[in-house]
Amino acid sequence: MVIDARRPPTGDDPFEEIADEYEAWYSTPLGSFVIAEEQEALLEAVAGATGRLLEVGAGTGWWSRILARRGFRVTALEPSSAMRRVGAGRGLEPIEWVAGTAERLPDPSEAFDVVLLMTVLEFLPEPGRALTEAWRVVRPGGRLVVGHLDALSPWAALYRRLGDRGVSPWTRARFVESDDVVNWFGRPADARRSCVFLAPGASPPFEAADRAGRLAGNAGALAVLRWRKPA
Amino acid sequence: MVIDARRPPTGDDPFEEIADEYEAWYSTPLGSFVIAEEQEALLEAVAGATGRLLEVGAGTGWWSRILARRGFRVTALEPSSAMRRVGAGRGLEPIEWVAGTAERLPDPSEAFDVVLLMTVLEFLPEPGRALTEAWRVVRPGGRLVVGHLDALSPWAALYRRLGDRGVSPWTRARFVESDDVVNWFGRPADARRSCVFLAPGASPPFEAADRAGRLAGNAGALAVLRWRKPA
């Protein structure tokens, strides 16, 4: 997740201006905690899988690199040339970068063991079509994993506020709950998990703040859904 | 605050359809906790004051009745005839109900010891003008008290979501932070307090959930600001 990317985009590529800074927040103390929680939820969703993994809307490749280090053969699909350029320059992992959009994947059907969309549907005009396309390229027995920002989380309150102020990319974001994603797809997920229960205003120690967030009734910032395709 | 008012308005009066149910949520377990916390914050803001009090946008008079019971001579100004009708039929407190809008108060200048706007500015097209008008009718030495829903609270995330779904009155709400209110008015507040740190998803015991919300870094749902007019 990105908090502080205050410059508006200038052209057709909404990520052009923010690509370089896109991962900077992850190295802050709170960002490190959040990304570690998100990584744990993601790795649980792909646990036991191996082989070819497609990340749709890979951004600068943060998750693709982590999954490549776990042994997946990763294809990172990303429409923004700025994000692809920054991503391809980071890390030593053998990631295949591909230009393309979520609604029309360039891949043959049933080509991947895992297809992943992390906080991507929020920014797409046709999220249901993107899910159908992602499902098409999952092999039988493979899985589709979707992470999204939960609209009821205090982080959604912050990002809406940033969107109100014209901060990219939140001006274009859609804020949804997991049930919306399930409804777009038309299939119940076989696993759901939420994480990051602390709020953007939390102070260290973040582990305690996160436990407190659960007790306060907070929705987790990131929800991760998984669907297995029948073998 | 109102959660479950799912019917859209039919005419020019956005509150026509919800007036009867407007206070129902306050009698739920969570609603009771929330309203008690809000009452404590409000009573602190008016502590030490006496005399004439104007509530601008009084709705069904919940806060006006509480303040009348504390000894204030209360005038409740409300543009919605449906809300005034419901409000006038509730309680035995001697409240003067007046039709009128916040941007053009019918009262002479410096007529009130206290002027109160509770979650009203969020729904006004010209909040700065409403603040100027409210300030005009505060007597020298009197005070202006403004409560607003904090845009960074998890409750704002919920209400934005309800607004997305067309639930009145949230379709018309503006979501702001206290600094926005101060900027509209152009005067720094002399006191600020927040309350209700638990989230809408909290479970009992709510006192513990509220303490946890603070620890999680949650913004309080209701912010109360106070300005004293020089004597």
Side-chain angles (χ1 to χ4, degrees), chain B residues 126-206:
Chain B
E126 298 181 82
R129 187 167 160 196
L131 287 165
T132 303
E133 263 295 85
W135 192 240
R136 177 180 67 78
V137 302
V138 173
R139 72 158 173 82
R143 57 184 98 175
L144 170 62
V145 176
V146 170
H148 72 89
L149 173 67
D150 192 313
L152 297 184
S153 154
W155 296 80
L158 171 63
Y159 295 143
R160 295 237 205 195
R161 192 79 185 107
L162 293 178
D164 287 348
R165 290 182 184 143
V167 176
S168 185
W170 303 109
T171 47
R172 327 188 160 212
R174 179 189 290 114
F175 293 88
V176 298
E177 296 170 62
S178 290
D179 284 349
D180 297 303
V181 176
V182 167
N183 287 339
W184 288 333
F185 193 22
R187 295 169 188 270
D190 61 62
R192 294 184 183 205
R193 174 172 169 174
S194 288
C195 62
V196 186
F197 292 91
L198 48 64
S203 301
F206 295 125

Side-chain angles (χ1 to χ4, degrees), chain A residues 10-11 16 33 36 39 75 112 137 190 226-227:
Chain A
T10 52
E16 183 186 343
F33 176 82
Q39 177 173 324
T75 302
F112 294 96
V137 302
D190 61 60
R226 190 185 65 191
W227 293 262

Side-chain angles (χ1 to χ4, degrees), chain A residues 1-224:
Chain A
M1 279 179 281
V2 184
I3 291 187
D4 198 14
R6 294 172 191 273
R7 288 181 299 166
T10 52
D12 287 342
D13 181 348
F15 292 95
E16 183 186 343
E17 296 270 336
I18 63 175
D20 282 330
E21 306 151 27
Y22 199 70
E23 293 176 3
W25 182 69
Y26 296 164
S27 63
T28 65
L30 179 55
S32 300
F33 176 82
V34 167
I35 207 74
E37 293 290 305
E38 294 183 351
Q39 177 173 324
E40 188 182 322
L42 172 59
L43 292 181
E44 183 183 284
V46 300
T50 57
R52 291 196 68 194
L53 183 147
L54 172 66
E55 185 178 7
V56 178
T60 52
W62 179 276
W63 299 116
S64 282
R65 293 198 302 277
I66 285 167
L67 292 162
R69 290 199 294 275
R70 301 275 161 163
F72 287 100
R73 281 179 289 131
V74 175
T75 302
L77 182 121
E78 168 59 41
S80 161
S81 59
M83 297 293 256
R84 285 199 311 275
R85 189 176 59 244
V86 171
R90 286 196 182 150
L92 298 171
E93 300 81 1
I95 292 167
E96 180 188 16
W97 282 90
V98 175
T101 60
E103 290 92 342
R104 191 180 299 182
L105 299 176
D107 310 283
S109 295
E110 306 185 350
F112 294 96
D113 297 279
V114 179
V115 177
L116 171 67
L117 294 92
M118 279 290 269
T119 53
V120 168
L121 294 175
E122 289 90 328
F123 299 99
L124 297 179
E126 298 181 82
R129 188 168 159 196
L131 287 165
T132 302
E133 263 294 86
W135 193 241
R136 178 180 68 76
V137 302
V138 174
R139 71 158 172 83
R143 58 185 95 177
L144 170 62
V145 176
V146 170
H148 71 90
L149 173 67
D150 193 314
L152 297 184
S153 154
W155 295 80
L158 171 62
Y159 295 142
R160 296 238 206 193
R161 191 80 185 106
L162 294 178
D164 289 348
R165 290 184 186 142
V167 176
S168 184
W170 303 109
T171 46
R172 333 189 155 208
R174 178 190 290 112
F175 293 89
V176 299
E177 296 170 62
S178 290
D179 284 350
D180 298 303
V181 176
V182 167
N183 289 337
W184 288 333
F185 194 23
R187 297 170 186 268
D190 61 60
R192 293 186 185 202
R193 175 171 170 175
S194 287
C195 63
V196 186
F197 293 90
L198 48 63
S203 301
F206 295 125
E207 291 76 6
D210 204 62
R211 284 193 300 274
R214 279 183 191 264
L215 191 59
N218 287 358
L222 182 75
V224 178

